[in-house]
Amino acid sequence: MTRGQRFELRAVDFLLRDQSIRSRFALGPPSTPAILDREGRRRRRKKSTIWIARGVRVVPEKGKGLQTLMEKKDFEQWLENISVTFLSLTDSEKNETLDHLISLSGAVQLRHLSNNLETLLKRDFLKLLPLELSFHLLKWLDPQTLLTCCLVSKQWNKVISACTEVWQAACRNLGWQIDDSLQDALHWKKVYLKAILRMKQLKDHEAFETASLIGHSARVYALYYKDGLLCTVFSVDYSDELDILVSGSADNTVKLWALSTGMCLNTLTGHTEWVTKVVLQKCEVKSLMHSPGDNILLSADKYEIKIWPIGREINCKSLKTLYVSEDRSICLQPRLHFDGKYVVCSSALGLYQWDFASYDIIRVIKIPDSANLSLLGFGDVFALLFDNHNLYIMDLRTEQLISRWPLPEYRKSKRGSSFLAGEISWLNGLDGKNDMGLVFATSMPDHSIHLVLWKEHG
């Protein structure tokens, strides 16, 4: 053994006697001989290896001095002991231990730690879980969060977009009509995006646009709209099935006309004020006075609403009279809505809703400045109202006005028909197809007709 090798062995022996070094390599007690005699060392020595103590060997490497290694069997035993000790620690002690080990780690260990942590902590549950279970979890997220999750990856976007139940529920919450028979998995997310855009336009008062019809040489005092046709006539309604046209007039009567011949079939009396609104509609509920499918005529004046049965026989009597106050202290505005199940009319106190089966008032909606607000349309989800300055949309679920649209100055007609609603099926809920065409029309002092139309979807 050369002098240099003996010097290195002495240096290693000195280091091994240090307690921190011994604990790091799990060496035996200091009494354990660290250096063997010269003959024994020569006999046990392998090529380029110097045995120092149990389970530890020193390997000389060119330019690096001596490198201390642990045998695999002893390392596994040491690792098991360390694991048992680690598991017995508290959470704070475990965290402190990990922090210390990380501070001792080099670039190779840190890279290894980063790769393994990413595998453990960033597992893609949408790939790992069955599709049905993924859909169940996604139902707990709000739509805005789901839209954000769609940006994670193509796989996430595909799975989330196919979650039909989630997007249908989101559309219903916006008051959108849902056709359950449509099974296209990717359809409802598109419908929701269209719905959220339309509702944002309503909230920002940007859902409509205006136009004018010019051509009359005198003021138009009454308007009528049905099946996409806008007519300049007085308060009328008609039924092709019955071949009947009904009109209300300022002589306090309601007249029935034969559409095919133009002959007056009957005059209904009983009103004491101008008949400002007439509505023909099939009944959808059963009561003692009518059955589903019966043709019903409603006529309204300043204080009351009369209900008439209309059939092939023309001579009929009023079934019932509806009113807000028996002493006529509360006036009804010349607006009336009837869908076969409910009757709705506006008054100075708000909107009144009657159940057509029992004729009872079931709902009164108080609205600010209700004396000046008139009813144009009433549905399951929305109501359309207006005053001298604006057109309003009310969400009937919250009874709050959610949108408005400015109207030009015009003069209301005492007959109550110089303004009207256009297509009103969207009042039962938007569906992406019924939010188009005419919303509102009114006649103007310059002999024109002012129109409010739905804007096309962006």
Side-chain angles (χ1 to χ4, degrees), residues 206-361:
E206 297 176 351
F208 306 127
E209 58 188 4
T210 59
S212 295
L213 300 179
I214 300 174
H216 287 283
S217 59
R219 172 74 182 272
V220 176
Y221 284 93
L223 297 172
Y224 180 73
Y225 179 86
K226 192 167 185 177
D227 298 332
L229 179 64
L230 180 63
C231 307
T232 56
V233 297
F234 192 44
S235 178
V236 300
D237 204 350
Y238 68 93
S239 168
D240 288 321
E241 178 185 351
L242 299 176
D243 190 37
I244 289 176
L245 182 142
V246 182
S247 64
S249 71
D251 62 3
N252 305 343
T253 65
V254 178
K255 291 186 179 294
L256 285 74
W257 309 81
L259 282 173
S260 57
T261 64
M263 293 179 58
C264 180
L265 302 176
N266 198 5
T267 299
L268 307 180
T269 60
H271 284 283
T272 58
E273 299 286 340
W274 289 8
V275 180
T276 56
K277 187 67 176 179
V278 290
V279 177
L280 265 177
Q281 179 70 37
K282 282 186 178 294
C283 177
E284 296 186 11
V285 292
K286 181 177 179 58
S287 75
L288 294 176
M289 299 182 182
H290 48 71
S291 301
D294 290 349
N295 291 284
I296 300 294
L297 167 64
L298 267 64
S299 57
D301 62 28
K302 187 176 181 180
Y303 298 107
E304 59 189 22
I305 302 168
K306 289 188 176 294
I307 302 172
W308 314 82
I310 299 295
R312 297 294 178 181
E313 66 283 0
I314 301 304
N315 297 317
C316 58
K317 295 182 180 180
S318 174
L319 294 176
K320 185 73 174 178
T321 299
L322 306 179
Y323 46 79
V324 175
S325 60
E326 294 184 10
D327 59 359
R328 296 194 169 194
S329 59
I330 302 176
C331 295
L332 300 178
Q333 296 189 7
R335 301 285 102 196
L336 179 64
H337 172 82
F338 178 50
D339 61 2
K341 297 180 291 185
Y342 303 102
V343 179
V344 183
C345 190
S346 58
S347 73
L349 297 182
L351 298 179
Y352 281 78
Q353 184 178 16
W354 287 267
D355 180 11
F356 197 62
S358 63
Y359 302 125
D360 293 332
I361 295 176

Side-chain angles (χ1 to χ4, degrees), residues 3-196:
R3 175 182 291 182
Q5 289 177 327
R6 289 198 297 272
F7 177 77
E8 287 183 349
L9 288 175
R10 291 192 188 98
V12 170
D13 180 58
F14 174 77
L15 292 174
L16 289 175
R17 292 179 183 277
D18 185 82
Q19 183 62 33
S20 62
I21 299 297
R22 301 188 66 80
S23 61
R24 178 175 180 182
F25 294 101
L27 300 179
S31 60
T32 302
I35 303 178
L36 303 179
D37 56 50
R38 182 173 181 181
E39 291 76 17
R41 182 175 304 284
R42 183 175 294 122
R43 286 196 300 270
R44 297 184 57 186
R45 178 180 177 185
K46 296 181 180 181
K47 183 178 180 181
S48 302
T49 301
I50 302 175
W51 293 90
I52 303 299
R54 82 166 184 268
V56 180
R57 54 193 173 124
V58 177
V59 182
E61 292 187 11
K62 185 176 181 180
K64 295 185 179 180
L66 298 179
Q67 181 179 6
T68 305
L69 300 176
M70 186 182 295
E71 288 296 318
K72 181 176 182 180
K73 181 178 179 180
D74 294 316
F75 171 76
E76 291 176 350
Q77 182 63 40
W78 170 82
L79 185 61
E80 183 178 352
N81 294 336
I82 289 295
S83 300
V84 173
T85 304
F86 182 80
L87 293 175
S88 66
L89 300 177
T90 64
D91 287 339
S92 60
E93 290 172 339
K94 289 178 180 178
N95 293 339
E96 186 176 351
T97 302
L98 291 175
D99 290 340
H100 182 67
L101 290 176
I102 291 174
S103 66
L104 297 177
S105 300
V108 175
Q109 290 75 43
L110 292 176
R111 188 182 304 110
H112 175 77
L113 182 63
S114 176
N115 294 337
N116 282 274
L117 282 177
E118 184 174 6
T119 303
L120 290 173
L121 300 179
K122 298 182 180 180
R123 287 179 287 189
D124 190 343
F125 74 92
L126 287 185
K127 288 183 178 179
L128 300 176
L129 294 177
L131 194 60
E132 294 79 5
L133 188 54
S134 296
F135 285 167
H136 178 73
L137 294 176
L138 291 173
K139 288 192 295 185
W140 295 93
L141 298 178
D142 62 274
Q144 191 58 47
T145 302
L146 289 174
L147 290 176
T148 302
C149 292
C150 287
L151 302 177
V152 172
S153 66
K154 291 183 178 180
Q155 176 66 21
W156 277 46
N157 181 52
K158 182 179 180 180
V159 173
I160 294 173
S161 298
C163 192
T164 301
E165 188 175 349
V166 169
W167 298 112
Q168 283 185 339
C171 291
R172 285 192 184 97
N173 291 336
L174 291 176
W176 220 254
Q177 295 186 57
I178 301 300
D179 182 3
D180 294 321
S181 64
L182 191 58
Q183 298 299 320
D184 184 0
L186 302 180
H187 171 75
W188 291 108
K189 179 188 171 187
K190 299 176 183 177
V191 172
Y192 173 77
L193 292 174
K194 183 182 290 186
I196 203 71

